[in-house]
Amino acid sequence: GNSVTQMEGPVTLSEEAFLTINCTYTATGYPSLFWYVQYPGEGLQLLLKATKADDKGSNKGFEATYRKETTSFHLEKGSVQVSDSAVYFCALSEAVSTGNTGKLIFGQGTTLQVKP
Amino acid sequence: DAEITQSPRHKITETGRQVTLACHQTWNHNNMFWYRQDLGHGLRLIHYSYGVQDTNKGEVSDGYSVSRSNTEDLPLTLESAASSQTSVYFCASSESQDTDTQYFGPGTRLTVL
């Protein structure tokens, strides 16, 4: 079945450090890939997405590239801020031969803590 | 602005009681979803709906039920609450199966004693 695997956290960085959070997936068909972010005490919100191979999603300085050959969608940011401290979830859209199901499969989440 | 709301935000109940968590969205989205979030498990799908009168079981549906009588609401009912159902519950919606971006509510923290 479809699944998403993220690197285990927590990840602790100093402000202005480079961030990478690894995400790999297993899926049939051609899913879309997502990164969602959850700030403390809030629901998840979409950070970025990519809908086909080699697409790069980007938002707020974060970016991720859909790599079909390595089944990966790693999240990167060149210089993190304290305000980026949150839980980050990688997800894929579940597709069947007839199209999308509208359902998402989530990884377990990676906690990022950025220290001043 | 369109939004998705959940109530209550926090709930403490006792084992065996029936509990209903509310979810209301004003986007007029067809799809609605309920997830539970537990440490080490990410988000797991409980139930989902593609439209009025449509409901479907997710991967962890035992002990939960939903009903969809209108577009805006998808209440989640725990028929007989168990301590294993202590969790944070999130409701989400999306426009259609072809647009798979989901929009999440703020969550309900449920404690079953």
Side-chain angles (χ1 to χ4, degrees):
Chain A
N2 297 339
S3 66
V4 176
T5 302
Q6 292 180 233
M7 61 187 290
E8 289 192 20
V11 174
T12 303
L13 296 173
S14 298
E15 206 165 23
E16 299 184 3
F18 184 85
L19 168 71
T20 300
I21 301 178
N22 290 337
C23 171
T24 57
Y25 68 92
T26 301
T28 55
Y30 302 94
S32 295
L33 300 174
F34 304 80
W35 278 100
Y36 280 82
V37 59
Q38 183 182 28
Y39 297 105
E42 299 183 9
L44 280 71
Q45 55 185 273
L46 179 67
L47 180 59
L48 54 85
K49 66 183 284 188
T51 57
K52 60 184 187 295
D54 299 325
D55 267 4
K56 178 184 284 187
S58 61
N59 186 25
K60 298 181 182 179
F62 291 90
E63 58 183 34
T65 301
Y66 189 165
R67 301 285 189 200
K68 192 167 176 63
E69 64 276 12
T70 54
T71 62
S72 65
F73 193 55
H74 304 321
L75 182 68
E76 296 182 335
K77 186 175 186 183
S79 176
V80 294
Q81 305 300 312
V82 172
S83 57
D84 294 326
S85 297
V87 182
Y88 292 82
F89 292 92
C90 185
L92 64 81
S93 62
E94 187 175 79
V96 294
S97 58
T98 53
N100 290 328
T101 67
K103 294 193 292 181
L104 297 179
I105 307 295
F106 287 88
Q108 70 268 38
T110 302
T111 299
L112 170 66
Q113 185 178 29
V114 180
K115 296 187 174 182
Chain B
D1 285 345
E3 61 177 357
I4 181 166
T5 58
Q6 294 183 236
S7 61
R9 294 295 312 277
H10 301 272
K11 174 77 175 178
I12 300 174
T13 191
E14 296 177 342
T15 301
R17 289 191 181 268
Q18 184 181 78
V19 177
T20 297
L21 308 183
C23 175
H24 179 80
Q25 53 97 2
T26 58
W27 276 300
N28 203 36
H29 284 168
N30 288 323
N31 300 348
M32 295 185 74
F33 307 84
W34 273 104
Y35 297 90
R36 59 178 288 173
Q37 182 181 23
D38 303 289
L39 201 62
H41 291 280
L43 274 75
R44 293 182 290 176
L45 184 64
I46 305 171
H47 281 285
Y48 59 102
S49 168
Y50 288 144
V52 177
Q53 302 301 330
D54 177 75
T55 61
N56 306 278
K57 293 182 178 180
E59 65 175 304
V60 290
S61 60
D62 288 349
Y64 303 93
S65 63
V66 293
S67 61
R68 187 94 179 267
S69 58
N70 57 53
T71 301
E72 295 80 14
D73 299 289
L74 187 70
L76 176 72
T77 297
L78 287 68
E79 304 294 344
S80 177
S83 57
S84 60
Q85 294 176 308
T86 293
S87 187
V88 181
Y89 291 86
F90 287 99
C91 180
S93 70
S94 66
E95 184 175 354
S96 71
Q97 290 172 235
D98 292 326
T99 54
D100 39 28
T101 299
Q102 293 185 12
Y103 298 87
F104 283 79
T108 294
R109 182 174 295 275
L110 177 67
T111 302
V112 183
L113 301 176

